[in-house]
């Protein structure tokens, strides 16, 4: 989206119910904790979205500082945030090291950290 928004959809045959998430730039900056002064600092760069990983039942977002947030079905706890619970709002995955890559399957999530741990 040219506005800097993010769109995510799911399939009602895979998740508990049709999933649709539309985060406009305002919602993303609010979620990422951007402050009102819009000054360009190193902290601002840390909260920028670096990568998005999409799976059959969930989505993961990795920020420049390696923090990972997930949202989606989580019917079987597959998003790594405890559960089961459906979440439309991105939830931080508590990992000991920054995340480099994510793999999302229909019943699992795998997080590769910058230290090489899986």
């Amino acid at each position: 989206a040219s506005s800097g928004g993010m769109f995510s959809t799911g399939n009602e045959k895979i998740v508990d119910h049709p999933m649709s998430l539309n985060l406009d730039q305002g919602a993303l900056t609010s979620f990422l904790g951007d402050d009102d002064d819009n000054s360009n600092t190193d902290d601002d760069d840390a909260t920028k979205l670096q990568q998005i990983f999409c799976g059959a039942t969930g989505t993961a977002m990795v920020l420049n500082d390696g923090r990972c947030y997930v949202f989606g079905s989580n019917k079987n706890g597959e998003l790594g945030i405890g559960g089961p619970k459906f979440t439309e709002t991105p939830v931080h995955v508590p990992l000991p090291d920054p995340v480099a890559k994510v793999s999302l399957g229909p019943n699992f999530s795998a997080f590769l950290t910058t230290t090489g741990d899986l």
Side-chain angles (χ1 to χ4, degrees), residues 14 54-59 74 78-79 102-110:
I14 297 172
C54 299
T57 61
T59 300
N74 203 42
E78 63 267 29
L79 295 179
V102 178
S103 178
L104 299 169
N107 297 308
F108 74 90
S109 295

Side-chain angles (χ1 to χ4, degrees), residues 25 28-29 31-35 41-50 62-67 69:
Q25 186 60 39
L28 276 174
T29 55
F31 151 70
L32 294 174
D34 201 18
D35 53 25
T41 67
D42 289 339
D43 288 339
D44 290 338
D45 288 340
T47 61
K48 287 185 179 173
L49 192 58
Q50 181 181 62
V62 177
L63 306 184
N64 279 345
D65 64 4
R67 285 180 292 154
Y69 291 82

Side-chain angles (χ1 to χ4, degrees), residues 6-12 15 17-23 71-72 86-89:
M6 182 183 73
F7 302 87
S8 175
T9 61
N11 182 336
E12 66 184 321
V15 296
H17 56 281
M19 179 174 71
S20 179
L21 177 69
N22 177 356
L23 293 177
F71 56 93
F86 178 84
T87 178
E88 292 179 350
T89 305

